[in-house]
Amino acid sequence: MNNQKIKTATVAACCGVVGRALVQELVSAGASVVGFCRPGDEARAQDLAAKYPGKFTALFGDLTSSKSAKELITESLEVLGGVIDAHYHAVGVYSWSSWSDVSEEEVARLWSSNFTTAWSLGREIFDAMKSQGAGALMFVSARDTIRSAPAGMGPYLASKAALNMFVQSLAVEGVPFGIRVNAVLPTIIDTQVNREAMPDEDPSSWVDPEQLAGVMLDLSQASRANVSGALIPVQGKMV
């Protein structure tokens, strides 16, 4: 069994709840991490850098832009010594809207965050990993993309379903280069934003962000060499 540890990693949306959990798990395991942030997240990024001195570097850019994505990966490789062992993509937005009343702007926002960021950044990291002959990419989709879509979630799930197809098809392209591509499909993640948005729901059945991060790290280990193109439901106590 290959027990090689992840020494270098990138985390997109590193200032979010899942992103912070990923950074903590990675640094605790000895990895050096570059996190990607949006402009406006400077204070939270500074907090992470202060918490993990010498092990975490924050970079800022537009993840929907191919030009910006290329620049971010070039700089990440400089910081990480030319190698990215694993990438964790925790970018995403959600909204409750039906096809009959969703605005053009909202469809664009969902698609841009949930799919375009994965494609624009993911392919740049994929290209960097090709020369390494190894690497792992992990994405965050949604459990209901593989279930009957509830009313009011169509536009959101459509963008996440596109992400699923990106993951599975990129995994096929990665086989000759030893690159594995997988996604976790959580139900509701237990965050303060979700608790405030759904005050009448019981969060004890939701997915703990630290446990989700743990699943993502486990699937990206070199010992999981035969797992690629997988869409892994992570549903807490929800059915």
Side-chain angles (χ1 to χ4, degrees), residues 6-14 19 22-23 26 31-36 56-57 59 72-73 75-77 79-80 83-90 121 125 129 136-138 216:
I6 294 169
K7 297 178 181 178
T8 59
T10 51
V11 177
C14 63
L22 284 163
V23 172
L26 286 161
S32 295
V33 180
V34 169
F36 304 129
F56 173 82
T57 302
L59 300 179
L72 286 170
I73 300 312
E75 190 170 354
S76 297
L77 289 168
V79 172
L80 298 173
V83 176
I84 300 173
D85 291 330
H87 171 68
Y88 304 89
H89 200 85
L121 189 63
I125 296 172
M129 289 179 173
L137 296 96
M138 289 295 312
M216 294 175 72

Side-chain angles (χ1 to χ4, degrees), residues 52-95:
Y52 308 114
K55 300 297 289 185
F56 173 82
T57 302
L59 300 179
F60 292 81
D62 178 6
L63 301 187
T64 66
S65 162
S66 294
K67 179 176 182 293
S68 177
K70 185 180 290 292
E71 292 170 350
L72 286 170
I73 300 312
T74 298
E75 190 170 354
S76 297
L77 289 168
E78 293 173 357
V79 172
L80 298 173
V83 176
I84 300 173
D85 291 330
H87 171 68
Y88 304 89
H89 200 85
V91 181
V93 296
Y94 169 81
S95 70

Side-chain angles (χ1 to χ4, degrees), residues 74-146:
T74 298
E75 190 170 354
S76 297
L77 289 168
E78 293 173 357
V79 172
L80 298 173
V83 176
I84 300 173
D85 291 330
H87 171 68
Y88 304 89
H89 200 85
V91 181
V93 296
Y94 169 81
S95 70
W96 184 269
S97 52
S98 66
W99 287 116
S100 60
D101 60 19
V102 68
S103 68
E104 180 179 345
E105 291 76 16
E106 182 61 12
V107 170
R109 186 180 79 99
L110 289 166
W111 190 269
S112 178
S113 179
N114 296 335
F115 175 77
T116 305
T117 63
W119 165 70
S120 63
L121 189 63
R123 70 171 180 172
E124 295 299 333
I125 296 172
F126 184 89
D127 282 346
M129 289 179 173
K130 285 168 69 174
S131 62
Q132 300 170 187
L137 296 96
M138 289 295 312
F139 295 86
V140 180
S141 184
R143 194 279 308 268
D144 284 347
T145 55
I146 58 172

Side-chain angles (χ1 to χ4, degrees), residues 142-149 157 164 185 231-233 235:
R143 194 279 308 268
D144 284 347
T145 55
I146 58 172
R147 300 277 291 265
S148 297
L157 290 177
N164 290 356
L185 280 59
L231 306 175
I232 309 295
Q235 54 193 33

